[in-house]
Amino acid sequence: MELHLISLLLFVMTFREAMGNHIPASSTACHLFTKYTTDDGQTCLTNSDMSMIMSRYVNGDLKLESKNGNPVSLSMTSCSCLGSFYIKDTMSSLYTQKTVNLHPHGQLRTSNCGDFYMYNINGLANYINSQNTVFCLDVGNRCTSLNASGIVTDDSLKSCAEVQPVLMESEDNTQLEPVFLCIFPPISDDGVYDVSWFINDEELTWAASHTVLYADVNSTALRPSNWTGNYSLNFNVACAVRAHNTSTSLSGPWYTSPKFFAGIKTEHQTYDVIEGVTSQIALASTIPFSCPLSLSEEMREAFCTYYFYIWTPAENSCRNGMAGNGIALTNQPCGVTFNFRDWGDRSVYLNVTGYVDGMINYNDRTTSIYIQSTRNPMDQKGIWDNLKVDNIQVKVTDRDRFVTGRQCLSSNDPHMTTFDGRRWENQRTGIFTLYQHETLPYTVHVIYSECVPRHATCNCGVAVRNGFSFYIVRTCEMISLESTKMLSVPYEKEHLCDTTDLGIVKSGRHYTVTFPTGTQVTFGISYSNSFIGSVRIRASVADIESSVGLCGYSNGDTSDDFIPKDGNNPTDSATFALSWRIPMNSNDSLFSNSSSLLQDTALTYNTNVPSDAVTTYCTCAQSGPVDTYQFVLPNTAHCNMTSPSQLCKEDNTVLTLTSCLHSEKRRKRFTGDTDDVKMESELTYDPDYNESAIIEIGGWLDKWNETSARAFCLRQFDLDPAVDICNRLVNISKDSFIDDCVADIKLSGNTSFIQDTLDTLKGVCLTEATRNEVFYVNQSSETNNLSIFEIISSFLCPRNCSGNGACVNATCSCFDGYLGYDCSGNLSIPPHNFLLPTNGLCDRSSRQCAKTNIMGFFHTENVTAKFAYFKVNSPDIQNSESVKTETATFHHFNLISVQIPEPPDTTRRKRSTKADQTIHGWNISLSYDGNVYSNHVSLLIFDGLVYNCDVQTLICHSSKTISSSSTSEKETKFVEITAGAVTGIVAVVIVAIVIAAVVKKHQKKKNAVAITMPTSILRKPVQPSTRHQFEDSMLPDIDKSGSKPFSMPPEKSVISERPDFDVFSIKSPQTEFNSPPLKTII
């Protein structure tokens, strides 16, 4: 059938060229048909109509007309008739046949007979009778008389016309350009014709032609020069024809053609898509495209391409870290491309995916798609300029309801819940894969280590990875089954190749990491200990039947949750858990410094370089179109996404791609801010760690039993109003959490985990509440115009604000004098237990030493730092004394940074080479209220190219060569500089550079430095600074070379054997009390 149609079309095209694009009526059988008259205004061809047609069957073709003689045609658009068919295709050219496509399915043979169409009766009968349906009708004059009353005309001179677009040479013979021909049959051999043109019912008088012979009708064509500049495409064009009989001198009436739509059209104006699912929208051009005449056919197809810009209205909303939107385009930028031959029956397609917004929508979302032309260099006459396509309406059907309540939990010691709600226990140590996406490079690893020796393990590390980007938080230094070794402050490591890879939000002790799909990882550090209270992962629609790991297979069926790694069938919980445990010291762990998951060779995925194997998406939200030929450039920031969704910030700013085009560039460390130094800590295993050892859950401890533990837990849950609110409004049952509370008491023998369990319930409740749009839209006077979410969240603050604040939107607003995310801090109690990176040593050869990070626990963003200056008392640098204050920059509850002040008296005489070798520093103390300050930590600034300072002892070795007139041998002198501290409101720093040694080639000879230490210092033990208190947990091990830590010498004098050594002393800043100055005796 298709071969027959192709042969017929080729014949018709060849014959048309020979006849000047006209075919005589005798070439088709338009005179043989069955005629059926419909009622006036009839809109459907029904089963009863078909019975009457079949009873008068003459041949295989049918002509429809109304009672007044006007032609009736099958509609090309839908109608209100129930179960109707209509033509979803373009009709055949004049005096040709064509098998057209029908909606919703099927085909029908048609014939174009000039002023009416004919339809195959058997085809109509097949659909109407066998499928009990109807066909939509269009009633109207295909050929309308324009004759004014009172003018004598010959009605037999009827010339019904049709507009037909063709590709013709331009008048200057440089271009192939689209023109409109007015096609009509001749009335006689001695006829001449007048032709007029109309665009949108407006007559183009300058384009009219008069008394034209039929052989010259092509000269009446409507060319781009007739309308460009005055009209933009996507208009309706029609022609009117009047015939004159030169023999009788009579004229026929004017007859106008049906309107022809010229431009870009779609099959429908409204489409339905499903969230996260891709559908196609067909676009068709009804006219051909221009192209230089000089190009070959192959070059025309390659270079004469036309681009149309596509955009959707921007919503400017941000919830749960996800930007609001309607749709995303799949595997194409914000535009569509038509090649030279893509017109007429050839359509191009928009791949439209329902945008994933991570919300259970109150109503189905709706958006519009706008199509705008761009300036094309091949379009020299501006034919496509300012194209106005009617916007396409798209309704997005929500799928987030299918993942309601799907939260994977790893809480306390640890109690596990899969996405589908299956609960189980995992009292094991090690690193586990909690979550992994099957097709996207998303992974979450967790660490379980001992928290109750030989009884229970707890969460102490979370690593989240998307491709080459990752975020790690860890609170334990070592994985063990028998001992607990925690870090002083949480260790954090972050590497984001693109800001679109992970959305990271820190709020107090709570962390939220969002994948581009909307899958969200939430965890928090316990208020009662240093462990991570719970890790929660909220599934997105992208996780449906696509998740593996301890969270299980997210499909709503708990029976297949325990599918082991590299397995297909579910198993028992122990086998399942161990299969997802990462072997000890394996590089498969995200916590490993050489993780294979983050190496270029292990992953070919690249978010910025789309490939055929990776589906990418573009969101094209704009406030308006972009008038440029390179239409894709303004939208590249929203393209190449791996999911039909976007991350955003709280200020509605959409996160955009950065310049990570190649994986090797991604891995380079950023060197712009050399002072952004944080603590480094490598995860280790207990030397006695036995990977095969298991925890045997024993009986009850410390006189607890099932009854007393459950009674305690019920009482605590009843005292917290959030439990009841979450149960009634968000459908979060307390039962499973009470079971966890009872299990915690049994494992630990105490109630220390109760607050973490309550916080986990509140976290689950808050996550579900934030995902339900209905909670945001319902407000009433009965609730003081608060939304349901505002009511719910007012009960979900951490630790109920410790009774020292009000809860608003799950955030504490502390009363005067209190601070902190739970209002547990006191304004007059300064920060304590804080650390400086690299143990307070700042090497000017590798850092700018203009600012420093400070790690600790900070209750508020308002932290003041006090700096007390100290320096070496050398001949080349003047002694200075200074105390300055700076406002710290707050980054997170465990990280602030401060600008290091300029040293005082920086204006000096001309420097010698030693001036660049200055060793000086600041004692830094912190305060919340600006009045009461903490004990200090010391920051020592030095040049690492000149001195080698030990990070544990604060001893610096300076090497220099000395010439001697009596010997050719070289001597090497060592200067040891030590910094000590005496606690007080403002610290006193005493640094002595004391010991010199001369090393000769054949013998060693010691030089002694005589130092007298103040009695007050010697009798009062020096308190170690904060950094020394935490060296065992956070800082590198002591130098393996054998250097001993600094210790104060006894109070005695040692006579130097040689006077040729350097003695520096560091003077203390002015304080409320001062120790006696350091005396040096030689």
Side-chain angles (χ1 to χ4, degrees):
M1 180 64 179
E2 291 182 357
L3 184 61
H4 172 71
L5 287 175
I6 293 173
S7 299
L8 178 61
L9 289 173
L10 290 174
F11 170 76
V12 170
M13 292 172 63
T14 304
F15 191 69
R16 175 179 296 172
E17 291 179 1
M19 296 296 294
N21 289 312
H22 291 281
I23 300 177
S26 60
S27 65
T28 61
C30 288
H31 62 284
L32 296 174
F33 51 80
T34 295
K35 183 174 70 173
Y36 179 71
T37 303
T38 65
D39 294 333
D40 290 340
Q42 182 175 342
T43 57
C44 302
L45 191 67
T46 66
N47 192 294
S48 59
D49 294 318
M50 202 67 229
S51 298
M52 297 179 66
I53 292 169
M54 296 296 288
S55 67
R56 289 180 286 173
Y57 179 84
V58 175
N59 60 25
D61 293 313
L62 172 69
K63 174 188 176 182
L64 299 171
E65 64 179 31
S66 63
K67 290 181 178 179
N68 61 11
N70 289 330
V72 176
S73 59
L74 297 185
S75 179
M76 298 180 69
T77 59
S78 60
C79 58
S80 59
C81 305
L82 184 62
S84 60
F85 276 64
Y86 59 90
I87 296 175
K88 190 182 70 172
D89 208 338
T90 57
M91 297 301 290
S92 59
S93 301
L94 190 64
Y95 303 123
T96 63
Q97 293 181 339
K98 181 181 179 181
T99 299
V100 297
N101 295 314
L102 302 176
H103 178 87
H105 56 81
Q107 293 181 320
L108 181 66
R109 180 168 58 83
T110 66
S111 298
N112 187 341
C113 293
D115 57 351
F116 65 93
Y117 288 112
M118 292 196 313
Y119 309 96
N120 180 262
I121 293 177
N122 289 331
L124 288 172
N126 174 62
Y127 291 109
I128 292 179
N129 295 330
S130 65
Q131 302 193 32
N132 193 28
T133 186
V134 298
F135 273 82
C136 295
L137 297 177
D138 279 341
V139 180
N141 291 322
R142 284 180 52 79
C143 183
T144 306
S145 173
L146 299 179
N147 186 53
S149 60
I151 299 177
V152 178
T153 59
D154 183 355
D155 291 338
S156 65
L157 300 177
K158 184 176 182 181
S159 296
C160 288
E162 183 176 89
V163 174
Q164 181 176 332
V166 296
L167 196 62
M168 294 180 63
E169 292 184 18
S170 60
E171 292 176 314
D172 60 4
N173 299 318
T174 61
Q175 290 277 114
L176 290 173
E177 63 181 14
V179 300
F180 301 103
L181 296 179
C182 192
I183 307 298
F184 54 90
I187 59 169
S188 64
D189 294 336
D190 54 357
V192 293
Y193 306 88
D194 297 334
V195 178
S196 293
W197 288 96
F198 300 83
I199 292 181
N200 294 338
D201 296 326
E202 296 179 3
E203 184 176 3
L204 280 61
T205 56
W206 58 88
S209 301
H210 302 284
T211 62
V212 178
L213 293 174
Y214 189 76
D216 299 326
V217 166
N218 281 0
S219 66
T220 68
L222 183 68
R223 291 184 173 274
S225 57
N226 298 132
W227 56 267
T228 51
N230 296 313
Y231 298 91
S232 298
L233 280 175
N234 273 32
F235 52 61
N236 289 309
V237 59
C239 66
V241 178
R242 181 173 61 182
H244 303 279
N245 191 320
T246 56
S247 300
T248 62
S249 299
L250 291 176
S251 300
W254 281 97
Y255 286 95
T256 184
S257 69
K259 295 177 181 178
F260 176 83
F261 175 80
I264 302 294
K265 68 176 183 179
T266 59
E267 295 178 270
H268 313 287
Q269 288 304 115
T270 303
Y271 291 84
D272 292 343
V273 298
I274 299 173
E275 183 176 21
V277 178
T278 301
S279 302
Q280 286 191 327
I281 296 178
L283 299 176
S285 173
T286 62
I287 67 172
F289 296 96
S290 299
C291 196
L293 188 62
S294 59
L295 296 182
S296 65
E297 287 295 326
E298 293 78 8
M299 295 181 69
R300 290 171 188 169
E301 189 68 18
F303 294 103
C304 295
T305 53
Y306 283 72
Y307 303 92
F308 295 87
Y309 170 65
I310 292 175
W311 59 281
T312 61
E315 295 189 11
N316 296 322
S317 63
C318 182
R319 284 180 178 170
N320 302 316
M322 303 293 293
N325 220 317
I327 57 104
L329 298 186
T330 308
N331 288 336
Q332 62 189 132
C334 296
V336 64
T337 301
F338 284 81
N339 292 321
F340 178 62
R341 298 187 182 280
D342 290 335
W343 71 282
D345 294 338
R346 292 179 56 166
S347 297
V348 298
Y349 295 90
L350 283 179
N351 299 313
V352 177
T353 302
Y355 183 86
V356 176
D357 67 344
M359 296 291 294
I360 302 170
N361 300 128
Y362 180 61
N363 289 314
D364 288 333
R365 287 173 284 146
T366 58
T367 190
S368 297
I369 298 176
Y370 293 89
I371 303 173
Q372 188 83 14
S373 60
T374 61
R375 190 71 178 90
N376 195 303
M378 297 299 177
D379 184 17
Q380 296 180 1
K381 294 186 177 179
I383 296 172
W384 292 96
D385 287 357
N386 302 316
L387 173 75
K388 296 295 189 300
V389 181
D390 291 339
N391 60 302
I392 304 168
Q393 298 294 322
V394 179
K395 182 178 73 173
V396 182
T397 301
D398 185 48
R399 277 210 306 163
D400 283 296
R401 65 182 183 276
F402 296 121
V403 291
T404 299
R406 290 195 189 177
Q407 292 196 50
C408 170
L409 303 182
S410 172
S411 57
N412 295 352
D413 8 337
H415 314 299
M416 310 296 297
T417 304
T418 65
F419 280 133
D420 294 333
R422 185 169 183 175
R423 290 170 46 77
W424 59 292
E425 295 292 314
N426 188 25
Q427 298 300 326
R428 298 170 179 86
T429 57
I431 301 173
F432 291 80
T433 299
L434 184 61
Y435 162 84
Q436 184 173 301
H437 197 279
E438 287 191 309
T439 59
L440 296 170
Y442 300 170
T443 309
V444 177
H445 286 177
V446 290
I447 301 175
Y448 300 143
S449 187
E450 173 275 327
C451 56
V452 181
R454 283 288 178 180
H455 282 81
T457 61
C458 290
N459 301 284
C460 65
V462 180
V464 184
R465 164 253 186 174
N466 173 12
F468 295 106
S469 297
F470 60 87
Y471 179 61
I472 298 172
V473 175
R474 178 163 54 84
T475 62
C476 56
E477 182 181 358
M478 181 179 69
I479 297 176
S480 176
L481 187 64
E482 297 185 352
S483 62
T484 303
K485 194 169 185 180
M486 307 300 290
L487 298 171
S488 302
V489 296
Y491 167 78
E492 292 186 51
K493 190 173 184 178
E494 174 184 323
H495 174 81
L496 293 184
C497 174
D498 301 321
T499 55
T500 57
D501 284 348
L502 294 171
I504 302 171
V505 177
K506 309 173 189 179
S507 177
R509 293 173 176 261
H510 298 278
Y511 303 75
T512 300
V513 184
T514 306
F515 288 106
T517 55
T519 301
Q520 201 166 69
V521 184
T522 307
F523 55 96
I525 298 174
S526 172
Y527 286 92
S528 58
N529 53 59
S530 296
F531 287 94
I532 294 173
S534 66
V535 183
R536 308 185 302 275
I537 303 180
R538 174 51 154 83
S540 69
V541 296
D543 295 312
I544 298 175
E545 299 182 348
S546 296
S547 65
V548 294
L550 297 185
C551 287
Y553 189 61
S554 177
N555 64 349
D557 181 3
T558 59
S559 66
D560 59 2
D561 282 353
F562 289 169
I563 297 178
K565 185 178 182 181
D566 301 325
N568 297 315
N569 300 315
T571 183
D572 60 273
S573 62
T575 304
F576 168 68
L578 292 175
S579 75
W580 289 106
R581 184 167 67 177
I582 298 169
M584 183 171 62
N585 297 320
S586 169
N587 286 336
D588 291 339
S589 165
L590 289 173
F591 297 98
S592 170
N593 289 336
S594 55
S595 173
S596 60
L597 295 179
L598 303 174
Q599 302 302 313
D600 298 351
T601 57
L603 187 69
T604 58
Y605 171 82
N606 190 326
T607 56
N608 282 359
V609 183
S611 67
D612 294 337
V614 178
T615 301
T616 59
Y617 302 87
C618 287
T619 56
C620 307
Q622 300 285 342
S623 58
V626 176
D627 184 16
T628 172
Y629 170 58
Q630 297 291 343
F631 71 96
V632 296
L633 293 180
N635 295 281
T636 53
H638 309 301
C639 284
N640 295 340
M641 302 182 306
T642 56
S643 65
S645 51
Q646 268 183 299
L647 299 176
C648 62
K649 299 178 182 178
E650 293 181 359
D651 60 359
N652 296 337
T653 302
V654 174
L655 299 181
T656 57
L657 297 178
T658 57
S659 57
C660 293
L661 294 179
H662 302 286
S663 56
E664 55 269 22
K665 290 183 179 180
R666 292 170 170 231
R667 305 295 297 168
K668 288 183 179 180
R669 183 177 178 181
F670 174 68
T671 58
D673 185 1
T674 58
D675 281 336
D676 189 18
V677 182
K678 302 181 179 68
M679 288 293 185
E680 290 293 333
S681 172
E682 185 172 355
L683 178 66
T684 62
Y685 283 84
D686 190 325
D688 298 328
Y689 180 73
N690 182 358
E691 196 170 26
S692 61
I694 60 174
I695 292 179
E696 298 291 342
I697 300 178
W700 289 89
L701 303 175
D702 296 340
K703 300 181 181 180
W704 285 95
N705 57 43
E706 176 76 23
T707 302
S708 60
R710 189 164 296 276
F712 169 82
C713 293
L714 284 170
R715 184 167 60 254
Q716 295 301 312
F717 274 66
D718 289 342
L719 290 174
D720 196 324
V723 175
D724 181 58
I725 288 291
C726 291
N727 182 38
R728 289 191 294 113
L729 298 182
V730 194
N731 197 29
I732 303 297
S733 172
K734 65 181 179 181
D735 295 343
S736 62
F737 297 96
I738 289 177
D739 291 342
D740 289 348
C741 174
V742 174
D744 290 334
I745 295 175
K746 182 177 182 179
L747 291 169
S748 65
N750 58 58
T751 62
S752 59
F753 291 100
I754 179 63
Q755 190 60 54
D756 292 323
T757 305
L758 284 169
D759 285 346
T760 301
L761 181 149
K762 293 178 183 179
V764 170
C765 178
L766 181 62
T767 298
E768 289 304 312
T770 57
R771 298 293 182 121
N772 200 327
E773 199 172 53
V774 71
F775 290 152
Y776 292 89
V777 297
N778 285 348
Q779 296 177 335
S780 68
S781 57
E782 297 177 0
T783 61
N784 295 323
N785 292 322
L786 297 176
S787 67
I788 296 176
F789 176 77
E790 290 173 313
I791 296 173
I792 295 171
S793 61
S794 67
F795 291 89
L796 301 181
C797 281
R799 304 178 76 184
N800 294 324
C801 301
S802 306
N804 299 324
C807 185
V808 181
N809 288 334
T811 303
C812 289
S813 177
C814 300
F815 301 144
D816 290 344
Y818 295 96
L819 44 77
Y821 292 93
D822 63 344
C823 298
S824 61
N826 193 300
L827 189 63
S828 61
I829 300 177
H832 61 283
N833 294 351
F834 53 90
L835 311 170
L836 297 180
T838 62
N839 206 20
L841 297 181
C842 192
D843 181 359
R844 291 198 307 269
S845 68
S846 60
R847 286 178 54 185
Q848 297 171 331
C849 295
K851 72 175 183 179
T852 183
N853 289 326
I854 302 177
M855 282 69 70
F857 294 92
F858 306 104
H859 289 301
T860 180
E861 298 181 6
N862 301 316
V863 180
T864 302
K866 179 184 288 186
F867 294 81
Y869 183 67
F870 63 85
K871 67 176 181 177
V872 172
N873 182 17
S874 79
D876 297 306
I877 304 177
Q878 298 176 1
N879 292 330
S880 298
E881 299 171 353
S882 175
V883 175
K884 298 182 179 181
T885 59
E886 298 281 348
T887 300
T889 299
F890 184 87
H891 300 287
H892 186 34
F893 88 102
N894 62 358
L895 179 65
I896 62 174
S897 62
V898 292
Q899 294 292 325
I900 301 173
E902 288 290 332
D905 303 327
T906 55
T907 302
R908 309 183 182 99
R909 65 179 183 269
K910 184 177 180 180
R911 295 186 183 186
S912 67
T913 56
K914 291 186 178 181
D916 296 328
Q917 302 174 13
T918 305
I919 301 176
H920 64 108
W922 300 88
N923 290 324
I924 305 174
S925 53
L926 303 178
S927 174
Y928 289 130
D929 62 1
N931 296 316
V932 181
Y933 283 84
S934 66
N935 293 335
H936 73 263
V937 294
S938 297
L939 177 72
L940 187 64
I941 302 173
F942 66 101
D943 187 342
L945 299 177
V946 179
Y947 296 102
N948 180 21
C949 294
D950 186 278
V951 296
Q952 295 294 321
T953 64
L954 289 179
I955 296 177
C956 296
H957 301 273
S958 174
S959 177
K960 61 184 179 179
T961 302
I962 304 175
S963 299
S964 174
S965 60
S966 61
T967 179
S968 62
E969 298 176 347
K970 294 182 179 180
E971 300 176 343
T972 304
K973 180 183 293 185
F974 296 94
V975 181
E976 296 186 354
I977 305 171
T978 60
V982 178
T983 57
I985 296 178
V986 178
V988 179
V989 177
I990 304 175
V991 176
I993 304 172
V994 290
I995 303 174
V998 178
V999 180
K1000 293 187 177 182
K1001 187 174 183 180
H1002 301 291
Q1003 64 179 8
K1004 296 181 181 179
K1005 190 173 184 180
K1006 295 183 180 179
N1007 297 328
V1009 180
I1011 299 178
T1012 301
M1013 301 302 299
T1015 304
S1016 59
I1017 294 181
L1018 295 173
R1019 292 175 181 174
K1020 185 176 180 180
V1022 178
Q1023 291 288 337
S1025 63
T1026 306
R1027 61 172 176 270
H1028 297 128
Q1029 299 174 24
F1030 305 123
E1031 286 172 355
D1032 290 340
S1033 59
M1034 281 298 295
L1035 299 178
D1037 293 335
I1038 294 178
D1039 184 11
K1040 307 302 182 185
S1041 64
S1043 298
K1044 296 181 180 179
F1046 170 79
S1047 59
M1048 286 291 184
E1051 186 177 13
K1052 63 180 181 178
S1053 296
V1054 181
I1055 304 300
S1056 171
E1057 296 183 334
R1058 288 184 55 182
D1060 55 345
F1061 55 84
D1062 297 336
V1063 178
F1064 296 162
S1065 64
I1066 296 179
K1067 189 156 186 175
S1068 304
Q1070 292 294 330
T1071 57
E1072 294 183 5
F1073 64 93
N1074 252 332
S1075 299
L1078 187 68
K1079 295 182 179 179
T1080 304
I1081 301 175
I1082 298 178

